[in-house]
Amino acid sequence: MIETNSRTILSGVQPSGDLHIGNYLGAIKNFVKMQNDFKCFFCVVDLHAITVKQNPELLSRNTLEVVATYIASGINPEKSVIFNQSSVSAHAELSWIFNCVTRMGWLSRMTQFKDKAGKDRENASSGLFIYPNLMAADILLYKATHVPVGNDQKQHLELTRDIAQKFNRDFNCEKFFPIPEPIIEDNTSRIMSLKDGNQKMSKSDLSDNSRISMTDETDSIVKKIKKAKTADVNMPSTMNEILKLSEINNLLNIYSGFSGKEKKILINEYQGKNFSKFKEDLSEILVDVINPISSEIKKLMQDQKFLKRIMLEGTNKANQVAKKTINDVYDIVGLIRNET
Ligand code: TYM
């Protein structure tokens, strides 16, 4: 039996396209660091992905590719539980219960819904609106105490905390759900587009040059960094000046995230210089880290049986914990689970 303990992590990634360096720096790199100190559950959130239209064949492929990216990046399936959300039906069951706990007003304030639904809100799926309830279910099903995410998920985490508190209060079961803490890194939790320092780097950006994927080859990485927007000045010498230049700040965050060097040190190294050497060095660092991950992803994708086996083992472990929580929740809410 898998024991969750006082330090449990759950986090997830949508299989909605090629993962990019924003996903890596904002989330996956931290997952890898945390697996020694926490009991970890890393989910591929396929039910979240279908809140917008997906091509079914691509969805299955992308699901396996997220699993491959987790493993290629250093998540060890012996230590961490890797599984896909739709295989553990308690996610959907608990999210329904949360649909009845969360207030419409809370959901209406979610900026991600507003961004994703855009102007044509009437045409957005109802799944997109209640998306944060499913996310709360993902987290609370495992009684996660900590959730490593990028900055764009901060508001969803706050909602998760509100849902946990309201459930505990409404059903008079103080401390049943823990109130999870987000873990959001300072400089790498919001990696921006390479073409526009005010837009988040995103899987759905129409321009491939806006992002570097974890499966990009050397040529493509070098070309994209060469094309990345900078500024018509040399590298400034102070953090204050840098912060006013969003594209430069972003490239420094990426450089720092991949090299482990502090931004201050990088600024000292490149101040007063134009950006060509900086870009050359940045490409080199990116290639050094991404190349081995990318070849491992491609290798793993040739062995889908192996990936499915990892997912099955993960599903079995996740199910042990999830079943216990959902059964307790049914009891608390007064639902009779009549099964053999
Ligand atoms: P998703 O699939 O959009 O992104 C996966 C993770 O990558 C982070 N991220 C970024 N970090 C830095 N810079 C960026 N440009 C960037 N883009 C994405 C995200 O913050 C996320 O941590 N709703 C979630 C998935 C989810 C989840 C959960 C996360 C579902 N259930 C439970 C944590 C816990 C999402 O859409 O992530």
Side-chain angles (χ1 to χ4, degrees):
M1 174 77 185
I2 280 238
E3 286 295 328
T4 50
N5 55 33
S6 56
R7 287 162 71 75
T8 299
I9 275 187
L10 178 125
S11 200
V13 173
Q14 290 193 61
S16 49
D18 281 346
L19 300 194
H20 51 70
I21 57 173
N23 301 124
Y24 179 75
L25 290 180
I28 297 173
K29 183 168 173 256
N30 301 325
F31 300 174
V32 177
K33 272 198 303 206
M34 284 158 192
Q35 38 177 5
N36 295 327
D37 300 326
F38 292 83
K39 173 75 223 150
C40 290
F41 294 86
F42 297 122
C43 188
V44 186
V45 290
D46 47 7
L47 295 175
H48 275 110
I50 61 167
T51 56
V52 297
K53 198 164 171 35
Q54 299 290 339
N55 169 323
E57 262 170 49
L58 216 53
L59 178 65
S60 314
R61 196 197 137 77
N62 286 339
T63 300
L64 294 173
E65 196 165 298
V66 176
V67 174
T69 308
Y70 280 166
I71 297 171
S73 305
I75 295 177
N76 177 353
E78 306 270 310
K79 278 192 192 152
S80 301
V81 179
I82 298 176
F83 67 106
N84 68 316
Q85 188 184 33
S86 60
S87 290
V88 180
S89 57
H91 288 249
E93 293 174 272
L94 185 58
S95 86
W96 178 258
I97 289 169
F98 288 164
N99 289 342
C100 306
V101 172
T102 313
R103 305 293 90 185
M104 290 287 283
W106 299 0
L107 291 172
S108 313
R109 287 190 279 278
M110 293 296 113
T111 53
Q112 187 157 307
F113 173 73
K114 290 180 199 164
D115 289 349
K116 284 205 173 167
K119 290 204 178 81
D120 198 6
R121 213 176 277 188
E122 292 285 306
N123 211 16
S125 74
S126 44
L128 193 63
F129 187 65
I130 54 174
Y131 177 115
N133 294 339
L134 178 58
M135 188 161 155
D138 300 339
I139 296 166
L140 296 175
L141 207 44
Y142 301 90
K143 303 203 172 166
T145 52
H146 295 82
V147 186
V149 278
N151 182 284
D152 59 347
Q153 298 303 315
K154 193 168 172 216
Q155 198 186 26
H156 289 160
L157 255 293
E158 280 156 12
L159 187 86
T160 299
R161 291 164 61 90
D162 290 343
I163 293 173
Q165 263 156 351
K166 184 163 163 47
F167 183 95
N168 290 349
R169 205 173 45 240
D170 284 359
F171 293 99
N172 222 347
C173 52
E174 206 198 339
K175 300 212 169 120
F176 177 73
F177 285 126
I179 313 302
E181 291 290 337
I183 301 181
I184 299 176
E185 294 281 315
D186 277 349
N187 291 324
T188 50
S189 67
R190 196 169 173 79
I191 299 298
M192 309 309 278
S193 155
L194 298 179
K195 293 181 75 181
D196 177 354
N198 298 311
Q199 292 284 328
K200 198 183 62 162
M201 185 177 283
S202 153
K203 295 175 208 139
S204 54
D205 195 315
L206 292 177
S207 165
D208 193 44
N209 284 330
S210 68
R211 63 182 162 261
I212 291 176
S213 299
M214 295 309 291
T215 47
D216 273 350
E217 306 277 350
T218 304
D219 300 356
S220 165
I221 297 173
V222 172
K223 189 188 84 200
K224 288 177 182 178
I225 291 295
K226 228 180 221 162
K227 281 199 170 166
K229 198 170 165 199
T230 48
D232 296 330
V233 291
N234 287 341
M235 177 70 85
S237 56
T238 67
M239 195 68 90
N240 272 349
E241 287 170 282
I242 302 266
L243 290 176
K244 287 183 208 140
L245 302 170
S246 51
E247 282 86 11
I248 307 298
N249 188 35
N250 186 42
L251 292 178
L252 277 167
N253 284 335
I254 296 173
Y255 198 141
S256 168
F258 273 90
S259 66
K261 281 192 190 170
E262 269 186 50
K263 267 167 91 179
K264 267 194 286 185
I265 293 177
L266 293 173
I267 296 169
N268 271 344
E269 200 172 325
Y270 292 100
Q271 61 170 307
K273 297 184 186 155
N274 71 25
F275 289 100
S276 59
K277 174 81 171 99
F278 172 81
K279 282 185 164 183
E280 256 175 50
D281 293 349
L282 172 57
S283 299
E284 211 172 286
I285 299 273
L286 284 169
V287 166
D288 276 356
V289 179
I290 295 175
N291 259 357
I293 297 179
S294 158
S295 11
E296 188 62 19
I297 295 173
K298 286 169 193 155
K299 201 173 104 201
L300 287 167
M301 285 301 282
Q302 301 297 315
D303 191 354
Q304 302 206 348
K305 258 197 190 152
F306 169 76
L307 294 173
K308 286 184 182 155
R309 184 163 59 73
I310 296 290
M311 284 165 74
L312 178 62
E313 284 166 10
T315 298
N316 290 338
K317 292 180 192 161
N319 249 323
Q320 287 179 20
V321 180
K323 279 229 161 91
K324 163 95 177 75
T325 308
I326 195 71
N327 285 343
D328 289 346
V329 167
Y330 270 48
D331 278 350
I332 290 169
V333 174
L335 301 169
I336 297 173
R337 186 186 279 282
N338 226 344
E339 59 182 10
T340 45

